[in-house]
Amino acid sequence: MHETSGTVIPAEKVTLQQKELWLKIEEFLGKKLIALEELLQDFTASDVAAMQEMMDHMIGNRGKRLRPILLFLCGSFNPDAVDDYVLLRAAAAVELIHSASLIHDDIIDGAEERRGKPALNVLWGNRPAVLAGDFLFARSFELVASCGNFELIKVLTRTVSIMCEGEIEQGGHVFNLHLTEQQYLHNIYRKTAALMEACCSAGASLAGLADDAVLLFKAYGRHLGLAFQITDDVLDITGKSSLIGKPVRSDLREGIITLPLIYLLEDPVWGSHLREVIEKRDFSSIALSFLDYPDCINGPVRRALARAAAYIDEAKACLSGLGNVLPVEILKNLADFVLEREY
Ligand code: FPP
Ligand code: MG
């Protein structure tokens, strides 16, 4: 068994390449990742038992720590200029922002599961869960403030406001059968890619890199984030809930029209079938079983994954001038992981 996303992934599902990637990350960032866990524990401590229990549930049930890893990696290109204390605090802050956003997202979506465990809103109810998200959000900005870096505060606060706009915008698109690919892409930039973009640009800025280099890392993060959300949306249709740690096909049930669904709606035969299911709001397993037919789903899924692959190529191209050093190799491998992941 292998633990990466909080769900326990059967060992046979973790490819050799993925094992090698996590080993490389440990080799390069080992001490920083241990310090990160300690800081996350410190900054989620509460004297109020129920809050502490919710924090343990959320932070203990760990994800891949992808966002702090991105910040550390992009912050590693100029070690003499970096203040490790600030880098570590910024890395912990982005993980707390991410966790806060997932708690609030699960309340908004009425989600039941997160990372293979019941969502916070299920175990404690919506009111305590809202406050747990607010608590994490506040603690993340206590961390950011302690860095004493106005630019970092500006980038992260602006990013959170963009994420909120993304969630509102997504709510406005619910069951919109006319959602365009362009509208979808704008939305996933706001809700997902903006934070990855901010992690990469913040890391590069904290390392004192020149503006044009910061912009390249920022673009890497943006493209990675767009590809990440597209693969997430594909996994919602084709994935296994035991691997992704949440029920499959919940996007459709919630009316979230994702890229593979936009493409499926364009299909002359299956498109009208999907339209009918959505219009009737019949999301029973039987009604959705057509999504299992290879004839129906393979085309839209392949097309969506090709879109994600194009973003991954663009992400990797941003790193082309940086030579063959280990952090570049890891950033490129992470990009491949985003495309190939099953969890
Ligand atoms: C998951 O998307 C959710 C997000 C990527 C962002 C959620 C953002 C907010 C709630 C606003 C920011 C709030 C704070 C407090 C920072 P998804 O529903 O597509 O993915 P899922 O299937 O994993 O839930
Ligand atoms: Mg959600």
Side-chain angles (χ1 to χ4, degrees):
M1 296 294 221
H2 185 93
E3 210 162 345
T4 10
S5 66
T7 34
V8 179
I9 309 297
E12 67 274 13
K13 286 287 175 191
V14 180
T15 65
L16 192 61
Q17 269 168 331
Q18 287 170 3
K19 268 185 212 150
E20 278 171 9
L21 167 62
W22 296 111
L23 284 174
K24 271 187 224 168
I25 292 173
E26 268 171 36
E27 182 198 332
F28 189 66
L29 296 176
K31 283 189 188 143
K32 287 191 167 69
L33 293 178
I34 293 168
L36 173 76
E37 292 309 312
E38 283 170 10
L39 198 57
L40 290 174
Q41 291 295 334
D42 284 358
F43 270 79
T44 51
S46 169
D47 291 337
V48 175
M51 187 63 88
Q52 185 65 63
E53 283 165 25
M54 289 192 284
M55 292 302 113
D56 290 344
H57 183 81
M58 196 62 196
I59 302 299
N61 187 14
R62 46 174 303 177
K64 296 179 272 292
R65 305 293 194 236
L66 181 57
R67 289 147 192 87
I69 288 173
L70 289 173
L71 193 141
F72 280 139
L73 289 169
C74 297
S76 71
F77 287 85
N78 196 7
D80 294 341
V82 167
D83 181 338
D84 282 330
Y85 172 92
V86 169
L87 201 69
L88 175 63
R89 288 182 163 238
V94 295
E95 183 62 19
L96 294 187
I97 292 172
H98 173 57
S99 300
S101 78
L102 292 183
I103 293 175
H104 283 184
D105 178 68
D106 284 342
I107 298 165
I108 294 165
D109 291 349
E112 286 171 11
E113 256 182 86
R114 170 70 63 190
R115 295 172 180 161
K117 300 265 165 62
L120 225 65
N121 44 299
V122 171
L123 292 176
W124 280 273
N126 279 351
R127 288 178 195 198
V130 168
L131 295 165
D134 292 344
F135 178 85
L136 274 177
F137 186 50
R139 287 288 171 91
S140 72
F141 277 94
E142 189 181 334
L143 271 166
V144 179
S146 72
C147 296
N149 182 323
F150 271 116
E151 195 47 40
L152 185 67
I153 297 174
K154 248 170 72 180
V155 166
L156 293 181
T157 46
R158 175 48 63 118
T159 301
V160 172
S161 65
I162 293 172
M163 293 165 76
C164 293
E165 288 171 335
E167 283 279 302
I168 287 278
E169 183 181 54
Q170 176 176 278
H173 289 321
V174 161
F175 293 123
N176 176 4
L177 290 166
H178 304 289
L179 187 74
T180 64
E181 180 169 345
Q182 210 49 36
Q183 287 172 309
Y184 163 85
L185 291 172
H186 277 128
N187 183 245
I188 65 167
Y189 165 73
R190 294 188 175 104
K191 74 170 196 176
T192 305
L195 183 57
M196 294 202 193
E197 176 185 81
C199 293
C200 296
S201 72
S205 292
L206 291 173
L209 301 190
D211 288 351
D212 51 348
V214 173
L215 284 179
L216 282 175
F217 282 105
K218 186 175 173 179
Y220 165 87
R222 179 168 64 254
H223 293 127
L224 186 82
L226 291 168
F228 186 93
Q229 189 59 49
I230 296 173
T231 53
D232 211 63
D233 293 342
V234 167
L235 285 173
D236 185 78
I237 297 177
T238 60
K240 293 200 171 46
S241 66
S242 57
L243 291 180
I244 60 175
K246 50 194 178 188
V248 285
R249 297 181 184 166
S250 40
D251 286 338
L252 187 51
R253 291 191 178 89
E254 288 158 24
I256 300 170
I257 309 297
T258 60
L259 193 58
L261 296 176
I262 291 174
Y263 290 155
L264 183 54
L265 282 165
E266 288 173 14
D267 185 285
V269 179
W270 297 108
S272 48
H273 196 77
L274 175 59
R275 203 163 289 120
E276 200 182 307
V277 162
I278 292 176
E279 277 160 2
K280 286 189 180 155
R281 305 279 195 272
D282 177 5
F283 304 117
S284 60
S285 305
I286 294 174
L288 294 188
S289 60
F290 72 105
L291 293 172
D292 292 323
Y293 303 158
D295 270 5
C296 160
I297 204 63
N298 283 358
V301 160
R302 275 203 206 107
R303 210 173 139 198
L305 289 178
R307 196 80 191 82
Y311 282 124
I312 289 302
D313 286 344
E314 286 191 62
K316 289 200 275 190
C318 295
L319 309 173
S320 60
L322 294 168
N324 260 343
V325 288
L326 187 55
V328 173
E329 193 183 319
I330 297 175
L331 286 167
K332 287 183 180 169
N333 293 166
L334 271 174
D336 291 330
F337 163 74
V338 160
L339 198 58
E340 289 154 14
R341 74 201 173 100
E342 289 186 53
Y343 52 89

